[in-house]
Amino acid sequence: QAQLVESGGGLVQPGGSLRLSCAASGSISAINAMGWYRQAPGKQRELVARSSSGGITTYADSAKGRFTISRDIPKNTVYLQMNSLKPEDTAVYYCYARTAIAIRGQYEYWGQGTQVTVSS
C-alpha cells in the first residue's frame, strides 16, 4: 500500500519536457513539505527541488531555470515540470514528503521512484 505514488516518468529527447506527479495518500496528514530527489547509476541520491510551507522553494543548481516545482495542497500532490532536459538528468526520481507531526514515529516518506531517461 504505497503512501506516495509517482507518475510521469519516461523517455524524452534532449531539450524536451516532462512533468512528474506525486500524490500522497490520505494516511499522510499534516504535510509541511514535498519534493523530489533523484539518483543516477553510481551516484548518490540528491535533492532536485523542494516546496515547503510558506511557499518556499529550493532547487539544485543543476535544476534552476529549467525545473519548476508546484503543489496542490488540498490534493496532497506535488508536481515537477522539467524543461530543457539534458542527458545528465537521466535518473530515477523519488518523491518525498515531510509531516509536521510524526505518524507512528515516522515523519518522512518516500515514493518508489519513476525512471526519467533523456536520450536521442
Side-chain angles (χ1 to χ4, degrees), residues 64-92:
K64 291 179 180 177
R66 300 187 299 123
F67 294 2
T68 303
I69 188 169
S70 60
R71 289 178 63 192
D72 186 335
I73 295 177
K75 295 183 178 179
N76 277 354
T77 301
V78 64
Y79 305 92
L80 184 67
Q81 178 66 47
M82 303 185 292
N83 299 324
S84 302
L85 284 162
K86 305 174 181 179
E88 50 263 44
D89 294 318
T90 296
V92 177

Side-chain angles (χ1 to χ4, degrees), residues 5-92:
V5 181
E6 302 110 329
S7 63
L11 175 65
V12 65
Q13 295 183 6
S17 298
L18 212 56
R19 184 171 181 259
L20 305 183
S21 176
C22 173
S25 73
S27 64
I28 304 177
S29 61
I31 293 174
N32 61 11
M34 296 187 77
W36 296 89
Y37 285 71
R38 69 185 180 189
Q39 187 169 25
K43 295 186 177 181
Q44 296 182 4
R45 187 174 299 188
E46 64 176 355
L47 175 69
V48 179
R50 173 177 57 84
S51 177
S52 59
S53 297
I56 305 299
T57 57
T58 302
Y59 295 93
D61 287 340
S62 61
K64 291 179 180 177
R66 300 187 299 123
F67 294 2
T68 303
I69 188 169
S70 60
R71 289 178 63 192
D72 186 335
I73 295 177
K75 295 183 178 179
N76 277 354
T77 301
V78 64
Y79 305 92
L80 184 67
Q81 178 66 47
M82 303 185 292
N83 299 324
S84 302
L85 284 162
K86 305 174 181 179
E88 50 263 44
D89 294 318
T90 296
V92 177

